[in-house]
Amino acid sequence: MALKKVKGNIERMFDKNLTDLVRGIRNNKENEAKYISQCMEDIKQELRQDNLSVKSNAIAKLTYLQMLGYDISWAGFNIIEVMSSSKFTLKRIGYLAASQSFHCDSELLMLTTNMIRKELNSQNQYEAGLALTSLSCYISMDLARDLSNDILTLLSSTKPYIRKKAVLMMYKVFLKYPEALRPAFPKLKEKLEDPDPGVQSAAVNVVCELARKNPKNYLSLAPVFFKLMTTSTNNWMLIKIIKLFGALTPLEPRLGKKLIEPLTNLIHSTSAMSLLYECINTVIAVLISISSGMPNHAASIQLCVQKLRILIEDSDQNLKYLGLLAMSKILKTHPKSVQAHKDLILQCLEDKDESIRLRALDLLYGMVSKKNLMEIVKKLMVHMDKAEGTIYRDELLSKIILICSQNNYQFITNFEWYVTVLVELAQMEFGSKQGHVIGAQLMDVCIRVQAIRPFAVCEMAQLLDVYSSTSQFTIMQEVLYAAAWLCGEFAVELKQPEQTLRSMLKYKSLPQHIESVFIHNVVKLLAHVMRGYELEGKYDEVVGLCDDISAKLHESLKSGELEVQERSSTSLVIVNIVKEEIGKVKRGDADKIMDCDDPVEKRDGDETVAADLLALFGGELNPVAPKAQKKVPLPEGLDLDAWINEPPEDSDSESDHEVMDNLFVKSDKLDYGRSERYQPEPTEEELRKSREARKYEQQNNPHYLKGSDGDKIINEGTNVDVIPVAEIDLSVPLKVAGQKRSDKYLNMNASRKKMKKKNKKKKHKSESSSDENVNEGPVVEVKRELELPEGATLSDSDSSHGHVDDPHRALNIDLELPPVYEGVTEATEAKEEKKVKKSKKKTDKDKEGEKKKSEKSSKHREKGDGDAKKSKKPKKDKKEKKDKEGKTKSKKKPTSGYEEALGISTPSKEFQ
């Protein structure tokens, strides 16, 4: 035996410890995986030895490798073996490895139950603390059930070190085994008044976490927490207590009245920004809950806003963000207090941090009113011109639209200004992806606000003219979708519909859905233009329009998009039918002129070909409710997952797939793309030949301006004054940089305010005018009716809020119910279920008997005299009154609980 020990000690001298492993990994960076695999083999050999110190050394190295991402689950038995060592130094290595590699679903945890129980009952406080710390990382439901009593007894330990760890460990037990909460709650309540501040702080943390799910259970602890809040100097514990009070005040408004004074004292006195932030948050929550019962709280709100202004003006970005976040909470209930600091919020838009700028944008959304809407939007649009980053610009654009369109355009008094703003946003050249948002807003405004349609349609016609006349694409494509649709749908409002039709026919390569809308609305505009021409007898102009449209539609027929092909082919057939009908009408009128000496009578508008064509697009459109399509019920027998046709078999060759892929695309386009992609760089000889060929072509081309003496002078660069300057007549109006069309509405608004101030000085002081009475523009009706399927309502919710993965879901327990003891077996539970079923059956039988008795009594009453009825009724009424009074007296018992404990000097009737 002695020789074996000597041999083992000599071998251990050459073993690698953890420091050797780390050095080896650093020295073998090129072949790290190979080195670690070799170390793994050595570790496996060390784990086969009987010496626990050798095994603990191997487990320490495995723990390090596990941090690097290697799987060590295969060494679970060895880890448990090291955990059971009698030496604390080795035991600590095992528990560390267990806390890293074990999890709640590990199969080996059942082997650790008795061992951990033994450690918990150990006289050495560090061994018990080690077991508690490690257990918190991998505790399962079985371990929590089996060890809950042992951990609960540690709450009464004489050593603060053990009590603190046991209190924190109980929270992990509650998550896995919520039934332990009822028996443990009284002891947990005692720890709130523990003499050791560490134990006290741990208990406050646990109760605050438990109150996240069901704060009603912890309302009785309010006096204890109130005492701690007024006496403690631990900022982190105060933060937790104040958070808890914020959750308790909605349940008991009288608690909020007592909290206002100490919270304001803390706001005045504390220098810790984190504590100040939590105090402000809780004050806001308190004032929201007691807003009806405490009207004089403007001073507290002003104090919170002033302190938040200090946070926002701080150089620390984190404090600035938190200040804006808390300001948004005040904004919901006290908007006027925040609106006074509008300049400070606008300054935050210039901050370098994008998250702060976005938070300031959220604040501006709630600060908008009818008075300041135009001013805020103007500043945001100026800020957009200077802003950098497409993501932030997109967010800024969408926030401008949200600010204006909130609550069905509640704050917009001049819709012409809003349409102008949308058009200016559409013409901003920064490659925004928010074109669909602007297009949707233009369509929504025109559908909802009927009075704005003439102005909006004229603006859309100008957009289409600019798009067709300029070579550079300066308008968002999705806005063209709305422009084409609005000009076609509300063509009656157009001043020059034919010009708009001509500009729409000049559309270039557009996405599929936009080009198809252009084609569809060209037909609508044709019907409106044709109606006027047809009433005047100008049939040749109608035929000319049809020919132009047919020529453009023939080009769209060659498109590679199926939707464009289908729309263009359908529209082409309609145009050809119109041409035939117009030809027949033209010949009929000519025959009438030949047969009759009288002039031709004017045709009725309802008898024209255009009237038949307009009937295809008749009907008023209303705004559709969000998610209306989801609320349409599926018809019976419809299976959306079933195949319409059986899927084709994969028997075709690769060449067939290539042919099918290129079926709707021109082959010349494909060849062009391939040649352009793989074209090599030309040599100098090829470049010289191409130049000579180009010069020869220019000399023989009669439409190309030939070189002259002026060209030589220009090329030499000696005389620039010889260059001819031609005057260009532009129909486009001159646009001054820095000024926008929407500014005139802002100036009009400012001039109106000045006039109102002058009139107010002359007249007597009228009643205080609210924000709703400010009407800078004409009163415009906004449609608020939304189309929905039959039987559906706007309140139908489609989202399910079942938080299945929430770990705190199991803590939603009512502690007022009697506790469930561990001695209750399954047999007793079965007996109780049987009793409940029997009682239900009895109650059902009693109800049936009472029904029969009532039926019989009603029959007897019908047969009896009316006088007898009158004499019997008051007696029964008296008996019923007595019974009710007895019941109410038995129910009225003195309320045990919150009112006496809290010490609020208010009558009990108010509480009840």
Side-chain angles (χ1 to χ4, degrees):
M1 290 293 293
L3 289 173
K4 285 183 179 180
K5 285 183 180 179
V6 171
K7 185 180 179 182
N9 291 331
I10 293 171
E11 289 177 353
R12 281 194 59 198
M13 291 173 62
F14 301 100
D15 287 344
K16 294 179 181 176
N17 54 15
L18 181 59
T19 54
D20 297 332
L21 176 67
V22 175
R23 286 174 186 166
I25 291 173
R26 290 177 180 175
N27 295 331
N28 292 273
K29 289 184 178 180
E30 296 178 357
N31 52 356
E32 181 179 325
K34 184 179 178 182
Y35 177 78
I36 290 177
S37 63
Q38 183 180 354
C39 292
M40 280 284 193
E41 294 297 327
D42 297 339
I43 289 169
K44 288 178 181 179
Q45 290 182 2
E46 292 174 1
L47 291 175
R48 293 192 189 101
Q49 298 184 18
D50 298 332
N51 196 336
L52 264 181
S53 58
V54 176
K55 287 185 178 181
S56 63
N57 183 34
I59 294 299
K61 291 188 285 186
L62 282 178
T63 306
Y64 180 76
L65 293 176
Q66 196 269 344
M67 295 179 187
L68 298 180
Y70 290 90
D71 182 27
I72 63 168
S73 59
W74 50 271
F77 284 105
N78 304 108
I79 292 172
I80 294 174
E81 192 177 358
V82 175
M83 288 167 65
S84 62
S85 174
S86 58
K87 292 184 179 181
F88 181 75
T89 54
L90 306 184
K91 190 191 298 290
R92 185 173 55 183
I93 295 172
Y95 275 104
L96 174 63
S99 62
Q100 287 189 195
S101 59
F102 288 175
H103 52 85
C104 60
D105 297 326
S106 297
E107 297 178 355
L108 298 175
L109 288 182
M110 57 183 298
L111 303 176
T112 62
T113 307
N114 293 326
M115 181 180 62
I116 294 174
R117 180 179 283 124
K118 180 183 175 183
E119 301 292 348
L120 295 176
N121 297 323
S122 174
Q123 296 299 321
N124 188 348
Q125 62 174 350
Y126 299 110
E127 289 182 358
L130 182 64
L132 288 170
T133 306
S134 179
L135 181 62
S136 63
C137 299
Y138 51 82
I139 186 169
S140 63
M141 190 183 72
D142 295 332
L143 282 175
R145 186 186 64 244
D146 298 337
L147 300 175
S148 59
N149 287 332
D150 297 289
I151 300 172
L152 195 59
T153 54
L154 293 179
L155 293 177
S156 305
S157 175
T158 56
K159 299 169 182 175
Y161 177 81
I162 298 296
R163 292 202 304 273
K164 180 175 65 175
K165 286 187 175 290
V167 167
L168 295 172
M169 186 62 215
M170 283 308 296
Y171 178 68
K172 293 284 188 177
V173 173
F174 298 152
L175 287 179
K176 295 296 181 181
Y177 185 59
E179 287 79 3
L181 181 56
R182 286 194 186 93
F185 184 68
K187 287 192 175 182
L188 193 62
K189 185 178 178 181
E190 293 174 3
K191 298 301 119 185
L192 291 172
E193 298 176 353
D194 195 274
D196 186 76
V199 179
Q200 203 175 47
S201 179
V204 168
N205 276 279
V206 171
V207 174
C208 289
E209 289 299 317
L210 290 172
R212 286 174 57 186
K213 207 60 185 167
N214 192 358
K216 183 181 177 182
N217 287 333
Y218 310 97
L219 196 58
S220 61
L221 299 178
V224 182
F225 282 116
F226 190 84
K227 182 182 177 183
L228 286 173
M229 186 181 71
T230 53
T231 57
S232 178
T233 57
N234 186 351
N235 283 341
W236 295 112
M237 193 167 73
L238 285 174
I239 287 171
K240 289 284 184 180
I241 293 171
I242 291 168
K243 273 187 177 181
L244 178 60
F245 276 134
L248 293 179
T249 43
L251 303 173
E252 180 51 70
R254 292 174 301 161
L255 175 61
K257 294 177 184 178
K258 283 191 130 344
L259 285 172
I260 288 292
E261 184 180 353
L263 285 176
T264 49
N265 290 337
L266 277 174
I267 291 173
H268 279 296
S269 60
T270 185
S271 60
M273 292 298 181
S274 55
L275 181 58
L276 175 65
Y277 175 72
E278 290 300 333
C279 288
I280 292 172
N281 268 340
T282 307
V283 167
I284 296 166
V286 167
L287 293 177
I288 290 171
S289 63
I290 63 172
S291 56
S292 59
M294 187 178 177
N296 300 322
H297 56 267
S300 301
I301 287 292
Q302 290 298 328
L303 174 64
C304 292
V305 172
Q306 289 172 5
K307 291 292 183 179
L308 287 177
R309 186 180 179 94
I310 296 171
L311 287 178
I312 296 171
E313 291 175 345
D314 198 280
S315 59
D316 190 355
Q317 300 292 87
N318 296 323
L319 295 178
K320 187 177 291 188
Y321 183 86
L322 289 175
L324 292 171
L325 190 64
M327 195 80 87
S328 63
K329 295 178 182 178
I330 299 177
L331 184 66
K332 295 176 183 177
T333 53
H334 301 82
K336 291 184 180 179
S337 301
V338 181
Q339 284 174 3
H341 303 274
K342 183 180 64 178
D343 298 334
L344 178 65
I345 307 303
L346 288 171
Q347 285 178 8
C348 293
L349 293 175
E350 307 295 334
D351 199 275
K352 296 179 181 179
D353 193 351
E354 187 173 332
S355 60
I356 291 174
R357 297 200 300 266
L358 294 176
R359 184 56 64 187
L361 281 177
D362 293 337
L363 265 175
L364 287 175
Y365 175 81
M367 295 169 64
V368 168
S369 64
K370 288 182 179 180
K371 289 181 179 179
N372 60 14
L373 174 64
M374 290 186 181
E375 182 187 356
I376 288 177
V377 172
K378 167 67 178 172
K379 289 183 179 179
L380 289 178
M381 291 182 72
V382 171
H383 176 64
M384 184 182 287
D385 294 332
K386 303 175 184 177
E388 297 179 356
T390 55
I391 297 174
Y392 176 65
R393 279 189 165 187
D394 289 344
E395 184 67 27
L396 195 58
L397 188 147
S398 62
K399 193 62 70 175
I400 290 173
I401 294 174
L402 278 174
I403 286 172
C404 296
S405 63
Q406 59 179 314
N407 298 329
N408 292 328
Y409 314 106
Q410 177 186 358
F411 302 115
I412 295 179
T413 55
N414 194 329
F415 279 93
E416 288 186 7
W417 164 81
Y418 184 45
V419 172
T420 309
V421 167
L422 290 174
V423 173
E424 289 176 357
L425 290 174
Q427 292 176 329
M428 283 189 172
E429 300 179 7
F430 55 83
S432 174
K433 296 178 182 178
Q434 300 293 325
H436 64 283
V437 180
I438 299 174
Q441 275 296 294
L442 286 167
M443 294 168 69
D444 189 57
V445 169
C446 288
I447 291 172
R448 287 179 182 268
V449 187
Q450 191 172 359
I452 201 62
R453 286 176 188 172
F455 179 79
V457 170
C458 291
E459 290 288 323
M460 296 301 101
Q462 289 181 11
L463 274 181
L464 291 172
D465 290 340
V466 172
Y467 163 67
S468 59
S469 60
T470 56
S471 58
Q472 293 183 350
F473 194 80
T474 58
I475 303 168
M476 299 180 190
Q477 289 184 337
E478 297 290 340
V479 179
L480 294 175
Y481 179 100
W485 187 87
L486 291 172
C487 290
E489 185 65 27
F490 306 113
V492 183
E493 310 291 348
L494 284 170
K495 296 177 181 178
Q496 296 177 338
E498 185 178 355
Q499 182 182 350
T500 306
L501 176 60
R502 299 279 183 191
S503 60
M504 284 179 69
L505 287 174
K506 296 177 183 178
Y507 64 83
K508 304 149 192 172
S509 58
L510 290 169
Q512 170 187 354
H513 63 289
I514 301 177
E515 190 173 351
S516 59
V517 167
F518 267 73
I519 294 167
H520 186 67
N521 287 277
V522 159
V523 181
K524 292 183 186 179
L525 280 172
L526 172 64
H528 285 279
V529 175
M530 191 175 72
R531 186 176 189 178
Y533 282 152
E534 198 174 354
L535 291 174
E536 296 174 2
K538 298 179 180 180
Y539 301 113
D540 294 333
E541 283 81 352
V542 176
V543 174
L545 270 177
C546 292
D547 291 337
D548 294 341
I549 293 171
S550 299
K552 187 64 179 178
L553 291 178
H554 276 296
E555 294 178 9
S556 297
L557 276 174
K558 302 173 185 177
S559 173
E561 304 291 345
L562 289 176
E563 182 69 18
V564 176
Q565 286 183 28
E566 184 178 359
R567 289 287 181 101
S568 55
S569 60
T570 306
S571 302
L572 191 58
V573 172
I574 293 174
V575 171
N576 291 333
I577 293 172
V578 169
K579 285 175 65 178
E580 292 177 5
E581 293 296 324
I582 290 294
K584 290 178 184 179
V585 173
K586 185 179 179 182
R587 287 193 297 272
D589 286 350
D591 294 340
K592 285 182 182 179
I593 293 171
M594 293 293 293
D595 295 341
C596 181
D597 295 334
D598 297 331
V600 181
E601 296 180 358
K602 288 188 178 180
R603 296 171 58 84
D604 189 6
D606 297 333
E607 297 177 357
T608 57
V609 179
D612 298 333
L613 187 57
L614 284 171
L616 294 173
F617 315 112
E620 182 70 18
L621 291 173
N622 291 322
V624 182
K627 300 181 181 178
Q629 185 64 36
K630 292 183 178 180
K631 296 174 182 178
V632 177
L634 282 174
E636 296 181 1
L638 178 63
D639 186 8
L640 295 176
D641 297 327
W643 287 95
I644 299 174
N645 297 315
E646 293 184 1
E649 298 179 359
D650 299 334
S651 59
D652 298 334
S653 61
E654 294 181 358
S655 60
D656 293 339
H657 284 297
E658 291 177 0
V659 173
M660 289 298 291
D661 290 340
N662 305 333
L663 182 61
F664 299 106
V665 184
K666 289 184 180 180
S667 60
D668 55 349
K669 285 186 179 180
L670 291 172
D671 296 339
Y672 173 75
R674 287 171 185 168
S675 62
E676 186 178 85
R677 188 179 298 172
Y678 300 106
Q679 189 173 8
E681 289 289 333
T683 59
E684 293 183 359
E685 185 68 22
E686 290 174 350
L687 288 173
R688 185 179 58 79
K689 289 181 180 180
S690 65
R691 289 196 195 99
E692 292 177 356
R694 187 170 67 255
K695 287 180 182 178
Y696 180 75
E697 182 183 358
Q698 291 172 0
Q699 289 174 1
N700 295 329
N701 189 357
H703 301 289
Y704 190 84
L705 294 176
K706 305 297 187 297
S708 62
D709 296 336
D711 293 337
K712 293 179 182 178
I713 294 171
I714 291 168
N715 292 330
E716 289 171 4
T718 55
N719 190 3
V720 184
D721 297 332
V722 187
I723 302 173
V725 179
E727 293 184 0
I728 302 173
D729 186 14
L730 292 175
S731 60
V732 182
L734 183 63
K735 186 176 180 182
V736 182
Q739 289 187 355
K740 295 182 179 179
R741 290 190 300 134
S742 59
D743 293 347
K744 67 178 182 181
Y745 299 100
L746 192 62
N747 298 331
M748 288 166 57
N749 193 10
S751 62
R752 281 175 185 162
K753 287 181 180 178
K754 289 180 182 178
M755 292 295 292
K756 284 183 180 180
K757 287 181 180 178
K758 289 180 181 178
N759 294 333
K760 281 183 180 179
K761 288 179 181 178
K762 294 178 181 179
K763 296 179 181 179
H764 293 288
K765 291 184 178 180
S766 59
E767 296 178 358
S768 59
S769 58
S770 61
D771 194 29
E772 295 177 356
N773 298 326
V774 179
N775 292 320
E776 281 81 3
V779 179
V780 180
E781 182 184 358
V782 181
K783 284 187 180 179
R784 286 178 169 81
E785 297 178 358
L786 302 174
E787 287 193 353
L788 279 168
E790 293 182 3
T793 59
L794 279 173
S795 61
D796 295 342
S797 59
D798 297 327
S799 59
S800 59
H801 297 284
H803 300 286
V804 182
D805 298 331
D806 186 7
H808 305 88
R809 182 170 50 91
L811 297 177
N812 193 4
I813 300 172
D814 192 359
L815 292 177
E816 294 179 0
L817 294 175
V820 180
Y821 296 102
E822 294 181 357
V824 178
T825 58
E826 295 178 358
T828 55
E829 290 176 356
K831 288 179 182 179
E832 288 177 358
E833 288 179 1
K834 288 180 181 180
K835 288 180 182 179
V836 172
K837 289 180 181 178
K838 287 180 181 179
S839 63
K840 284 183 180 179
K841 289 179 181 179
K842 286 182 180 179
T843 51
D844 294 337
K845 289 179 180 179
D846 294 338
K847 287 179 182 178
E848 290 177 1
E850 287 175 2
K851 286 182 181 178
K852 290 179 181 179
K853 287 179 182 178
S854 61
E855 289 175 0
K856 289 180 181 179
S857 61
S858 62
K859 289 179 182 179
H860 287 300
R861 283 174 185 172
E862 290 174 0
K863 292 178 182 179
D865 297 328
D867 297 332
K869 291 179 187 176
K870 291 178 183 178
S871 62
K872 288 178 182 177
K873 279 183 181 177
K875 290 181 181 179
K876 289 184 177 180
D877 293 338
K878 287 179 182 178
K879 288 181 180 179
E880 288 175 359
K881 285 181 181 178
K882 288 180 180 179
D883 295 339
K884 287 181 180 177
E885 287 174 2
K887 288 179 181 177
T888 52
K889 285 178 181 178
S890 63
K891 285 181 181 178
K892 287 183 180 179
K893 293 179 180 179
T895 53
S896 59
Y898 175 72
E899 187 180 358
E900 296 176 2
L902 185 61
I904 299 175
S905 60
T906 51
S908 59
K909 290 181 181 178
E910 183 184 347
F911 179 70
Q912 292 171 357

